[in-house]
């Protein structure tokens, strides 16, 4: 169950703009997308954490009667949105793998399997190469 979810910088920035542009109201949406696509427990945990953040801060913000606002709510919102943006840009998505190997480079060490050249028939001498790869 090792699924990869690759994304380029444009997609990462677009998800981050959604989180910041909605002032934190839709910060859970990118994490739901990642959890559905990849299905890891940690992805579902991140989605649940940001959904819980939304379910706690929205009533907290609407029940305040003062005109000056609540500074603790502001700090919580800024830290949560900042953490979400950091996770979306650098931690959630896997880095893209190159489709093709670079030209001119030798084989990857795991691909160096195959017949090992030994001495020709009728010739004696020490056997060259790894005897376990024959």
């Amino acid at each position: 169950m090792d699924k990869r979810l690759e994304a380029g910088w444009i997609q990462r920035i677009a998800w981050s703009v959604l989180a910041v542009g909605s002032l934190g109201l839709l910060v859970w949406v990118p994490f739901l997308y990642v959890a559905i696509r990849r299905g890891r427990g940690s992805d579902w945990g991140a989605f649940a954490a940001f959904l819980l953040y939304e379910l706690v801060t929205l009533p907290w913000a609407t029940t305040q009667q003062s005109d000056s606002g609540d500074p603790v709510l502001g700090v919580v919102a800024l830290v949560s949105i900042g953490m979400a943006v950091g996770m979306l840009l650098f931690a959630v998505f896997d880095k893209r793998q190159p489709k093709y190997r670079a030209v001119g480079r030798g084989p990857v060490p795991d691909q160096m399997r195959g017949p090992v050249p030994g001495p020709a028939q009728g010739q004696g001498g020490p056997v060259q190469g790894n005897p376990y790869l024959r």
Side-chain angles (χ1 to χ4, degrees), residues 1 4 26 52 68 70 75 85 89 98 107 122-123:
M1 184 173 167
R4 294 182 50 81
L26 298 175
L52 179 66
S68 63
D70 190 2
V75 170
V85 168
L89 289 178
Q123 294 180 358

Side-chain angles (χ1 to χ4, degrees), residues 88-102:
L88 288 170
L89 289 178
F90 303 111
V92 172
F93 295 102
D94 296 318
K95 294 182 180 167
R96 290 192 178 208
Q97 299 292 326
K99 288 185 179 181
Y100 304 104
R101 252 187 324 133

Side-chain angles (χ1 to χ4, degrees), residues 25-121:
L25 294 176
L26 298 175
V27 72
W28 54 272
V29 173
F31 296 98
L32 176 63
Y33 168 77
V34 170
I36 289 173
R37 291 287 307 264
R38 197 163 44 185
R40 293 182 184 168
S42 60
D43 296 329
W44 285 107
F47 163 68
F50 282 107
L51 186 63
L52 179 66
Y53 155 78
E54 186 65 36
L55 294 175
V56 169
T57 57
L58 192 59
W60 183 8
T62 58
T63 59
Q64 296 295 326
Q65 299 298 327
S66 66
D67 290 335
S68 63
D70 190 2
V72 175
L73 177 63
V75 170
V76 167
L78 287 176
V79 168
S80 297
I81 293 171
M83 187 180 345
V85 168
M87 288 174 66
L88 288 170
L89 289 178
F90 303 111
V92 172
F93 295 102
D94 296 318
K95 294 182 180 167
R96 290 192 178 208
Q97 299 292 326
K99 288 185 179 181
Y100 304 104
R101 252 187 324 133
V103 176
R105 298 194 183 212
V108 178
D110 291 340
Q111 297 173 348
M112 294 179 67
R113 307 232 184 251
V116 177
Q121 273 191 350

